[in-house]
Amino acid sequence: MTDVPRDQPDAAGLIAIARTTFLGEIQPFLKDELRLTGLMIANALAIAERELRAPDPGLLDAEPLVHAIRAGRHDGDAGLHALLHDDARRRLEISNPRYLKDT
Amino acid sequence: MTPAADMAHDPKPGLARWLIAALGARAVQVTRFEKLGGGAIQENWALDANVTGGPHAGRQALVLRTDAASRVAASHSRAHEYAILGAAWRKGVTVPEPLGLDREGAVLGKPFYVMRRLDGTAAGHLLVRDDRWRGDRVALADRLGRELARIHAIHPAPEAEALSFLGVPTLPPGRALVEAMRDWLDGNQTSRPALEWGLRWLERHAPPAPAQLTLVHRDFRTGNYLVDDTGLTGILDWEFAGWGDPDEDIGWFCAKCWRFGAEAREAGGIGARADFYRGYEAESGRSIAPDAVAYWERMAHARWAVVALQQGARHVSGEEPSLNLALTGRRIAELEYELLTGTEP
């Protein structure tokens, strides 16, 4: 069976236009603490949109890996370190891409 | 029904009666009792009182601190926090003067304590950017170093009675913290290989226990002290304090995750590391070893990562739905990334 095409705009597209509209038409009227709340709402929507647009990460069986790391079986394992670092970078591109640009 | 459960009940007369005894006054009138913003773990209430008689006669601006709906497991009870605040106050650390503790919760239905209300702002994102503080950054960094050194002049033996509830770690402090974080992760079925990599590194590289354990604040950072136009007015938020390695607080204060985006000012985003260190060394008479602090800066990212998970879990579990907690939970990626960057094999 082929994938049934989704109705458009899709979830990421809806979040994107909701965020743009919110920032353009509502945020300018917010004051003081509500301004900060508005920025948090826009931030949450941006994260959700990026996550929806990101490719699926490969599955990792975390639990046995955690046990092996604690037991010292990966001490000095540069390959695992690089893999974990890359994965953290991939997640950071979703949750806070500016962090990677600023630092 | 407890007084706190009875929302129609005005707590001010009960507070006034309690304040008469706590302040040694003849009469007290509470003119304002109003919840303040901030504080994910504790609630702070502004309390204004007209005091007649006794050593605190006059108009008093106070803060009442009590538990919020939910608490982070590692934080102290209000009674313990009050005892720690008292030890710091007696040692000359700039803190809000502690004025009284209701240990039993007879007045509000939950324990609270009262301290003097201080002027100033604690908001980190303002302190690192606001031009008002530009001229005072050297003085502020130096002063914060001196304050921290005074905290570290508090040791277990002289405080054996007042702070007997603080456990003395049996492992070197770094390893004890790693164990505590692993316990939380296991207790919450949280498998995070990136964080675990960092914890294993911190375990392997943990320094030996310091020659003498000191009080460590464990949340001494920008955002947890008050500054007004004249400079520092008080160190706040003592709920995580315990016995440990003094370098832990230095690393926490300087860690990149607590600079509020002002990366170039390595002392908490407000000043130069050299100014902060100079104040600390002058007050303590102890030289800071940069390598030792670097270890604790990595530890800071691990600890902050666990706190982010804890705060995120409060939202995700449905216990306390909150956009702020939800977004804090998503900071885990940044903290794990930074932790891995600093712990190459």
Side-chain angles (χ1 to χ4, degrees), chain A residues 40-41 51 63 66 69-70 72 74-78 81 84-85 89 91-92 94-96 99-100 103, chain B residues 182 186 191-193 196-197 200 204 256 263 323 327 330 333-334 336-338 340-341 343-345:
Chain A
M40 288 199 295
I41 289 171
E51 186 163 293
E63 210 183 319
V66 161
I69 291 170
R70 283 194 199 178
H74 290 287
D75 291 354
D77 183 345
H81 179 268
L84 295 174
H85 203 207
R89 173 187 287 272
R91 291 183 283 116
L92 188 49
I94 293 170
S95 63
N96 188 4
Y99 187 89
L100 292 163
T103 58
Chain B
R182 285 174 176 164
D186 290 347
S191 296
R192 302 206 60 99
E196 295 282 351
W197 174 279
R200 173 67 185 158
R204 290 169 61 216
K256 192 174 163 186
E263 309 298 351
L323 179 56
L327 288 172
R330 290 298 294 251
E334 155 195 336
E336 286 182 330
Y337 177 79
E338 205 59 55
L340 284 159
T341 303
T343 56
E344 285 186 353

Side-chain angles (χ1 to χ4, degrees), chain B residues 16-28 50-57:
Chain B
R17 281 191 296 277
W18 181 84
L19 283 167
I20 288 173
L23 301 179
R26 274 203 311 282
V28 172
N50 291 326
V51 178
T52 308
H56 299 285

Side-chain angles (χ1 to χ4, degrees), chain B residues 114-326:
Chain B
V114 168
M115 57 190 159
R116 197 170 296 289
R117 191 161 77 237
L118 303 174
D119 289 331
T121 182
H125 64 283
L126 293 181
L127 289 178
V128 301
R129 290 188 179 92
D130 193 331
D131 289 349
R132 268 185 301 172
W133 315 113
R134 187 163 289 162
D136 297 324
R137 286 194 197 285
V138 172
L140 182 59
D142 180 282
R143 173 73 183 277
L144 285 162
R146 289 173 188 275
E147 294 287 336
L148 188 57
R150 277 188 211 132
I151 294 171
H152 294 163
I154 302 172
H155 299 291
E159 301 289 345
E161 200 164 326
L163 302 181
S164 61
F165 55 89
L166 291 179
V168 175
T170 49
L171 291 170
R175 290 183 52 203
L177 287 169
V178 167
E179 287 306 308
M181 287 188 273
R182 285 174 176 164
D183 285 348
W184 186 87
L185 292 164
D186 290 347
N188 290 272
Q189 289 85 45
T190 306
S191 296
R192 302 206 60 99
L195 178 53
E196 295 282 351
W197 174 279
L199 293 178
R200 173 67 185 158
W201 191 98
L202 290 165
E203 178 182 45
R204 290 169 61 216
H205 295 84
Q212 196 176 20
L213 289 171
T214 71
L215 191 69
V216 285
H217 181 286
R218 292 224 159 91
D219 206 7
F220 187 91
R221 61 165 175 86
T222 299
N224 280 342
Y225 54 83
L226 285 167
V227 175
D228 72 4
D229 293 323
T230 66
L232 183 83
T233 58
I235 313 287
L236 309 175
D237 290 328
W238 292 78
E239 68 252 33
F240 297 109
W243 303 124
D245 184 327
D247 289 338
E248 179 183 349
D249 279 339
I250 299 172
W252 186 256
F253 186 77
C254 294
K256 192 174 163 186
C257 54
W258 287 124
R259 294 178 200 159
F260 292 85
E263 309 298 351
R265 289 193 290 268
E266 294 187 3
I270 56 93
R273 192 186 285 262
D275 296 327
F276 177 67
Y277 281 17
R278 191 185 54 245
Y280 185 92
E281 291 181 337
E283 181 76 23
S284 68
R286 179 175 81 91
S287 304
I288 293 173
D291 282 357
V293 175
Y295 171 87
W296 290 103
E297 286 180 52
R298 295 176 179 107
M299 176 67 83
H301 286 98
R303 268 193 63 216
W304 197 174
V306 171
V307 172
L309 291 172
Q310 290 170 337
Q311 297 207 359
R314 279 161 60 193
H315 167 81
V316 171
S317 68
E319 175 194 348
E320 194 182 344
S322 151
L323 179 56
N324 193 14
L325 292 174

